[in-house]
Amino acid sequence: MQAGKRRRKLGIVLGSGSARGWAHIGVLRALSELGIEPDLICGSSIGALVGAARAANELDRLEDWVRTLSVGDMLRLLDLRLGTGLIKGERLTNYLRENFSQHRVENLELPFAAVATALGSGMEVWLRSGSTVDAVRASIALPGIFTPVLHEDDWLVDGGLVNPVPVSLARAMGAEVVIAVDLNTDMLGRHLQKPAAEPAAAESGGGFRQRWQERWSGFWPGREADNTLQAHPEATIDEPEQAAMPSMFSVLSSSLNIMQVRISRSRMAGDPADVLIAPRLARLSLFDFQRGEEAIAEGRRAVTAALPQLEALGLLAT
């Protein structure tokens, strides 16, 4: 910031991306070390969760939790069910209430808002008041995975369906300069490629994870290396190179990626961020929440890559 100039109101926007969202922690840490602190913060889906922690001044607690997460920890938080979503979400919600801020959104240390989607109308919903935990839970309600959340007679689902990187919300909150974090810039088509085996796979959950994977083959992250490409039902011995059928998880992941990338590009074309930070996280699956350290490190790297943009806007301390 140049001396003598009025400091413009800075908003930080944290985009959707499921487990890739732990990169937001690294982004916020790296920006803070550069002397860049937000005047307001908003987020969609996992970005809402990390943004709420920052707004409540509880990022330290969240980072400590994320860095120690294991596959077993995640499974203990999931209340599996069949119905409107694979995961009911009550265990996760109760955990957030017990271990993180229970302040109302309007009472957080920083102005904060989360984006959700009204299931009935498809309208974008900005959650700027009420329970912070309830706002986050609604914003992360990925259809088919988490059950919807009832809010003022509307069923709400994941904000990434309508506004994966909600720059428009930050502008509406008064941001004059916007730094946005897009987690999906390198995602298209990646889940249809057969990834290399992970050398550390045996260390991240052990036999417990293997048993889980056997039960939920084709869905849980890490199985992609085994069954992302399955034999096409019409393949014959004379056509060994015929196209293979993607797994259920690959189809789901790729479809969500396509949707969010296309929507993000469309929304930001009309209302672009002043600085776009783009961690490269295609190697992480939707539910690789146990890979927090890797995601955080990539968030830091992405800020380093964005230094010329930050400097051009005069955001770096001199």
Side-chain angles (χ1 to χ4, degrees), residues 23-77:
H24 290 316
I25 298 172
V27 169
L28 292 172
R29 293 299 194 196
L31 289 175
S32 181
E33 290 164 8
L34 292 170
I36 301 173
E37 302 288 356
D39 297 300
L40 61 92
I41 194 163
C42 60
S44 184
S45 195
I46 190 70
L49 192 158
V50 178
R54 173 62 183 86
N57 198 27
E58 293 185 351
L59 195 61
D60 288 346
R61 294 181 66 190
L62 180 63
E63 182 173 0
D64 289 344
W65 181 62
V66 167
R67 286 186 179 276
T68 60
L69 269 178
S70 67
V71 173
D73 293 331
M74 287 306 302
L75 295 181
R76 281 186 284 274
L77 290 175

Side-chain angles (χ1 to χ4, degrees), residues 225-245:
D226 300 326
N227 68 342
T228 295
L229 300 178
Q230 300 172 354
H232 194 283
E234 298 178 359
T236 68
I237 192 169
D238 297 323
E239 298 176 310
E241 300 301 324
Q242 190 169 354
M245 180 72 74

